[in-house]
Amino acid sequence: QKEDHGQSALVAHDDRKDHFIERNGVRCAGTHLIIDLFGAKRLDDLKHIKETLKRCVDVAGATLLHIHLHHFTPNGGVSGVAVLAESHISIHSWPEADYAALDVFMCGDADPHATIEVLNAAFKPERTVVKEHLRANTMHERTWEIAASKKAPVRLAKTKRAA
């Protein structure tokens, strides 16, 4: 695949999609999900993985900038990332173990939790484990005051899921 080197997303400053959020009174840079799929299927199917990542981006309300996937061998695992205006979705799969590790990190108005249902439908795991981390939620108040300036506005999260 062709790499994108040094390309910038053309997003107007007022339309930035990577803003900080406040969710249930907690200020943070975004939500990072660590997702483990056990007993999963189609983890060596490059086209299926690419289409699944695109569906994840769509249901989360995120903005896709680029997808890069690497297939290790014709029957091997896949490693890759969907780069988003709101951050990223990454995957690394071990089809021989029916296991995939995914990171879904999104800020702004995107809803990373919406990706879980898509991943479960696409890979049909026997078990899914999700861990959530609110990024930069431990920043002390003065740092947040600086981050909340016009350069990095803080907005209330519009996600469907409550924490």
Side-chain angles (χ1 to χ4, degrees), residues 47-161:
K47 183 178 177 183
H48 179 69
I49 291 171
K50 184 174 185 174
E51 292 306 312
T52 299
L53 293 180
K54 286 180 181 179
R55 282 194 308 277
C56 285
V57 172
D58 287 342
V59 301
T63 308
L64 180 63
L65 301 176
H66 177 73
I67 292 181
H68 178 79
L69 298 173
H70 177 78
H71 202 205
F72 287 102
T73 67
N75 294 318
V78 173
S79 186
V81 64
V83 180
L84 312 174
E86 301 82 2
S87 199
H88 70 275
I89 302 172
S90 65
I91 185 169
H92 192 83
S93 70
W94 288 265
E96 70 277 12
D98 298 329
Y99 171 73
L102 293 105
D103 281 10
V104 179
F105 175 44
M106 296 180 186
C107 55
D109 294 330
D111 181 9
H113 293 93
T115 65
I116 299 166
E117 187 175 321
V118 172
L119 295 170
N120 283 335
F123 300 115
K124 302 187 181 343
E126 294 170 6
R127 184 167 57 110
T128 301
V129 177
V130 180
K131 295 178 184 172
E132 177 186 272
H133 177 67
L134 298 181
R135 301 299 300 261
N137 69 330
T138 58
M139 291 174 67
H140 59 282
E141 195 59 37
R142 180 67 186 130
T143 305
W144 271 113
E145 290 172 13
I146 295 166
S149 70
K150 289 184 180 183
K151 290 182 179 180
V154 175
R155 301 180 192 155
L156 292 176
K158 295 180 183 177
T159 58
K160 297 175 189 172
R161 183 185 181 278

